[in-house]
Amino acid sequence: MAVFHTWGFTFGILGNIISVMVFLAPMPTFIRIYKEKSTMGFDSLPYAVALFSSMLWLYYALLKTNVVLLITINLFGCLIQTAYLFIFFTYASTKARNHTAKILGLMNVGLLCVIFAVTFFVFEGTTRARVVGWICVAVSVCVFAAPLSIIFRVVRTRSVEFMPFPLSFFLTLSAIMWFAYGLFQKDLCVALPNVMGFLLGMIQMLVYGIFRNKQLEIKASAPSTPISITIPISTPITTPISTIPIASNDHNPISIKVVETAEIQDTALPCSMAAEPPHLHTPLPMLVCAAT
């Protein structure tokens, strides 16, 4: 029995470490939001769902005994997701802020209060913990199933830009650790959803491996798309019209075309883009929610 508790504690510590890394994965996104003073089209739903999941698991952990490691990671999850949402509220537009407020009001306040009230006043003792545990299982399965839409998008677009490999890898590793923790702690509510998390994580990495190579093939065969910048010179020139290469790569050679124009009073040199290459705009990353 002591061996089981030792292994459970070991996997719980590893699960805490990896889950902290997963929770911190969106940090660069929010640093970017802070610097740009704008949410740049990012959606608050993943962070609201992650906060709801952490709060629910924290409630479950408080009903159990000898599950300090479940309390620590979900308490950290609540704090970091609250910080993310605070930054989002600070820099979001009025429309996005109102949308987020509605989500938090309905899910993180309304639904959570209903679950708390029903389980607290209707059930008692171990039955209450068991009911809350199965609610947590249902929520976790939904959270783990969310990446399915991203997998379908990768297959449809043949591009892995919306499914970063490191995040898929650490989510899979986290699922393994928490499955082992639940197994050794004999807690089916913790172990069961992480089986699905592991399977979906493996599918994500497999899809990434397949379509990463296809994406490289598409880039290698992509036709060259030149970019030209037309610059009117403020003083007349006598040299013939010329094209001066200034920078290039395999797919997007860039050149400047100098053309004779009338004298311009302004000392600045106005520039206009004559063509825009594909993939000029970096796509916004999709966030996959982490569930304990």
Side-chain angles (χ1 to χ4, degrees):
M1 186 67 67
V3 174
F4 278 88
H5 283 293
T6 301
W7 280 107
F9 182 79
T10 301
F11 281 109
I13 291 291
L14 293 173
N16 268 254
I17 294 172
I18 297 169
S19 294
V20 165
M21 295 173 67
V22 173
F23 278 130
L24 293 177
M27 188 69 73
T29 297
F30 284 90
I31 292 175
R32 183 180 169 191
I33 288 174
Y34 171 76
K35 289 180 178 179
E36 297 290 337
K37 309 299 181 187
S38 169
T39 55
M40 301 173 293
F42 283 97
D43 190 3
S44 61
L45 181 60
Y47 313 106
V49 172
L51 176 61
F52 175 73
S53 177
S54 294
M55 293 171 71
L56 198 56
W57 277 107
L58 183 60
Y59 175 40
Y60 171 72
L62 291 173
L63 296 175
K64 301 277 289 184
T65 56
N66 300 321
V67 288
V68 176
L69 295 176
L70 271 183
I71 294 175
T72 55
I73 189 55
N74 286 291
L75 181 60
F76 178 80
C78 290
L79 294 175
I80 194 68
Q81 299 302 332
T82 301
Y84 289 155
L85 287 166
F86 177 79
I87 296 172
F88 186 92
F89 263 101
T90 302
Y91 299 107
S93 64
T94 303
K95 182 179 179 181
R97 195 178 294 124
N98 292 337
H99 177 68
T100 303
K102 290 178 183 178
I103 293 174
L104 292 174
L106 289 173
M107 181 171 60
N108 297 68
V109 177
L111 182 57
L112 198 65
C113 285
V114 170
I115 292 173
F116 176 79
V118 171
T119 56
F120 189 82
F121 292 106
V122 176
F123 302 101
E124 296 180 354
T126 57
T127 303
R128 179 189 300 155
R130 189 161 55 249
V131 171
V132 174
W134 284 109
I135 295 173
C136 290
V137 170
V139 171
S140 294
V141 168
C142 294
V143 171
F144 276 129
L148 285 174
S149 61
I150 303 175
I151 294 174
F152 293 144
R153 184 171 187 175
V154 170
V155 174
R156 186 175 65 254
T157 61
R158 307 175 78 83
S159 171
V160 295
E161 59 190 358
F162 295 102
M163 191 175 68
F165 181 82
L167 186 57
S168 299
F169 174 76
F170 281 109
L171 282 172
T172 305
L173 202 58
S174 175
I176 294 173
M177 296 302 141
W178 287 112
F179 168 76
Y181 173 82
L183 186 67
F184 286 110
Q185 291 291 111
K186 298 181 180 180
D187 192 333
L188 188 62
C189 293
V190 174
L192 190 60
N194 285 290
V195 174
M196 183 176 180
F198 170 74
L199 294 176
L200 287 174
M202 293 299 294
I203 292 172
Q204 278 185 295
M205 290 191 289
L206 178 63
V207 170
Y208 182 93
I210 293 172
F211 287 96
R212 177 179 178 274
N213 295 330
K214 290 188 179 296
Q215 187 174 359
L216 291 175
E217 292 174 6
I218 292 172
K219 286 184 177 181
S221 60
S224 174
T225 305
I227 305 172
S228 63
I229 305 175
T230 303
I231 303 181
I233 304 300
S234 59
T235 56
I237 60 174
T238 57
T239 56
I241 294 175
S242 59
T243 300
I244 308 170
I246 58 172
S248 65
N249 55 42
D250 293 338
H251 303 298
N252 300 111
I254 303 175
S255 63
I256 287 183
K257 179 179 290 186
V258 181
V259 296
E260 185 176 356
T261 66
E263 183 172 354
I264 299 175
Q265 298 299 325
D266 193 352
T267 56
L269 299 180
C271 300
S272 61
M273 296 296 292
E276 181 178 340
H279 309 297
L280 186 63
H281 301 289
T282 304
L284 300 179
M286 299 281 289
L287 178 71
V288 182
C289 294
T292 322

